[in-house]
Amino acid sequence: MIYLDNAATTKIEDVSFNAMLPFLKEEYGNASAVYEIARRSKKAVFEARKQCASLIGAGTSEIFFTSGGTESDNWALCGAYESFRKKNTNSDKPGHIITTQVEHHAILHTAEYLETLGVSVTYLKPDKEGFISPEQVTGALREDTFLVSVMTANNEIGTIEPIREIADSVRANRKDVLIHTDAVQAFGQIDLSDNAKHVDLLSASSHKLGGPKGVGMLFVRDGVKFSPYIRGGMQESGRRAGTENVAGIAGFGAAAELAFAGLDAKISAEMALRDRMIAKLADITDVIINGPYSEGDYSKRLPGNISVCIKGIEGESALIMLDGQGICASSGSACASGAREPSHVLKAIGRSDDESKGSLRLTLSNRNTEEEIDKAAFVIADVVEKLRSRG
Ligand code: PLP
């Protein structure tokens, strides 16, 4: 098997798996209890909090564990809305959010839900490479804007948004607007070491960086008044109730620590493989690269992301044929695949429905080898030829 779908999920790292094991068996104490076995669980959760915090330059009091990126995104939007409502109980201001057309559905569908509660939402249109500019965001601010949510990196086309600049320009205009970023695809993939200084809220997910599925976090900057989303017990300082998923959290922490320590090497390895694959795909006629691309550069595009539209093929048919040859890839985002609708991200950057139909996303990891890239590129070229000859 050649696994080229790391944006969908990643293989668990050994250190992460090993960090989880004790908490799935003998270390079963509830992290909220007072006796020794429970204290060991509590210590593991705290250790993981430190490991996750260091990736973004945050403090441990600012990290809240959740069930994954989707919950963190839901919490960010709904929590911001509730805080806004609490402050404006006697006002009929509906409230306003600024986000983008290229967000993950965890953001878009939550924004749509808030619209049903009366909130206005501005969905900013990106440029043809998927970028949102700070000026666009500040230009959309309204008197009742309470939240800006712009993703750090796009899950389909890999575009890295100028999130620090966006956050700083919003802050320069308005101190009372919360700034959230969905960093699920960027956390552990690129340097975010001072992002906690710029944004108020940041979502991340463990299974995108070699940790287990079903665990994530929301960074909430100290001092930000922010409503809980899951109500119940006093776990996570009373802000996110529910008995802690200690094993998952320990695995997430270990994966984060590994990613932090090996980030530069991981980036260089992935980028070299990405550039190798793109050079080979360029030999196929009528291939368009989606998102910004410049060889040897990862400042604007995730180092392991390749997204292309190939004329004259159906992406879904290509995926099935690639699967037949042991190659795991995706067309558009995993959550959107299976759906017949063309990708909302490709649409937003101006691809026609016809172009989007032939989209292919390959997301690499530093586990991939040059031989795998060469083999996959060869098989893709062959699949394209076969599909085109079918007409
Ligand atoms: N946000 C982005 C940008 C994603 O790519 C994903 C998952 O693909 C999510 C949110 C959802 O994260 P999770 O799978 O942890 O719920």
Side-chain angles (χ1 to χ4, degrees):
M1 180 182 80
I2 302 179
Y3 188 74
L4 305 177
D5 202 14
N6 287 277
T9 198
T10 56
K11 183 174 181 202
I12 195 158
E13 295 286 352
D14 288 346
V15 285
S16 174
F17 181 70
N18 290 330
M20 293 175 73
L21 285 180
F23 302 98
L24 291 168
K25 204 164 182 220
E26 65 271 20
E27 298 290 348
Y28 52 83
N30 185 321
S32 301
V34 293
Y35 35 81
E36 177 56 27
I37 190 175
R39 282 203 297 275
R40 289 201 292 271
S41 292
K42 190 175 181 161
K43 191 162 169 268
V45 171
F46 183 70
E47 196 51 39
R49 216 183 291 288
K50 276 203 294 203
Q51 290 162 319
C52 288
S54 54
L55 251 76
I56 53 169
T60 49
S61 59
E62 299 175 309
I63 303 298
F64 299 88
F65 290 115
T66 65
S67 66
T70 300
E71 182 189 323
S72 302
D73 285 346
N74 272 261
W75 183 12
L77 268 62
C78 295
Y81 172 65
E82 277 205 28
S83 300
F84 169 79
R85 281 264 63 91
K86 269 190 209 152
K87 267 194 263 165
N88 294 279
T89 34
N90 296 321
S91 136
D92 54 4
K93 278 197 258 179
H96 174 235
I97 292 178
I98 300 170
T99 186
T100 83
Q101 294 177 2
V102 290
E103 300 296 311
H104 189 270
H105 284 131
I107 294 290
L108 291 177
H109 290 166
T110 308
E112 283 163 21
Y113 163 69
L114 291 179
E115 282 187 280
T116 68
L117 304 183
V119 176
S120 309
V121 182
T122 300
Y123 299 93
L124 296 172
K125 186 171 171 54
D127 71 9
K128 59 186 189 344
E129 293 185 323
F131 290 112
I132 300 292
S133 71
E135 296 72 31
Q136 268 181 291
V137 180
T138 51
L141 285 168
R142 289 185 355 189
E143 191 240 329
D144 61 342
T145 306
F146 62 86
L147 179 74
V148 166
S149 181
V150 177
M151 70 200 320
T152 305
N154 189 273
N155 46 303
E156 287 191 43
I157 60 172
T159 306
I160 300 173
E161 299 296 347
I163 198 68
R164 295 171 208 171
E165 292 76 5
I166 289 174
D168 293 350
S169 52
V170 170
R171 187 78 66 234
N173 281 270
R174 289 277 297 278
K175 300 270 181 284
D176 58 333
V177 173
L178 289 175
I179 302 157
H180 169 250
T181 188
D182 174 343
V184 167
Q185 291 290 341
F187 190 77
Q189 312 297 337
I190 54 171
D191 178 16
L192 303 179
S193 58
D194 74 344
N195 281 33
K197 292 193 186 73
H198 298 265
V199 300
D200 298 304
L201 306 161
L202 178 148
S203 304
S205 176
S206 153
H207 73 109
K208 308 290 187 183
L209 69 150
K213 294 168 184 59
V215 56
M217 66 172 222
L218 184 68
F219 155 79
V220 182
R221 183 208 281 271
D222 269 345
V224 167
K225 289 206 171 38
F226 200 63
S227 298
Y229 179 61
I230 306 276
R231 293 176 177 79
M234 289 307 289
Q235 293 89 355
E236 298 296 286
S237 315
R239 283 176 133 176
R240 198 284 185 180
T243 301
E244 294 87 346
N245 169 7
V246 181
I249 291 170
F252 184 16
E257 185 174 86
L258 182 74
F260 191 52
L263 195 58
D264 290 345
K266 182 174 151 67
I267 289 172
S268 311
E270 286 177 5
M271 193 171 62
L273 295 171
R274 177 197 75 183
D275 290 350
R276 189 179 181 97
M277 176 63 99
I278 289 183
K280 287 181 185 292
L281 294 179
D283 287 341
I284 305 173
T285 50
D286 288 329
V287 170
I288 329 170
I289 299 176
N290 301 312
Y293 179 62
S294 151
E295 195 186 332
D297 180 24
Y298 69 91
S299 62
K300 298 201 164 102
R301 181 188 196 102
L302 287 174
N305 174 285
I306 298 159
S307 166
V308 287
C309 287
I310 306 176
K311 204 169 165 188
I313 69 156
E314 285 260 6
E316 294 290 319
S317 311
L319 290 187
I320 294 164
M321 290 170 76
L322 290 175
D323 180 36
Q325 306 266 349
I327 297 171
C328 308
S330 141
S331 118
S333 78
C335 318
S337 62
R340 285 248 151 244
E341 280 289 290
S343 146
H344 67 281
V345 175
L346 297 179
K347 209 175 186 139
I349 63 167
R351 296 280 173 264
S352 66
D353 288 359
D354 215 38
E355 286 169 333
S356 297
K357 256 194 344 209
S359 75
L360 206 57
R361 182 187 73 173
L362 310 169
T363 45
L364 318 180
S365 91
N366 55 343
R367 288 174 187 277
N368 292 123
T369 61
E370 289 185 350
E371 292 68 43
E372 286 183 329
I373 297 300
D374 295 352
K375 165 98 193 291
F378 178 80
V379 174
I380 291 168
D382 186 52
V383 161
V384 170
E385 202 182 298
K386 287 197 174 104
L387 286 171
R388 281 180 176 164
S389 67
R390 282 184 202 168

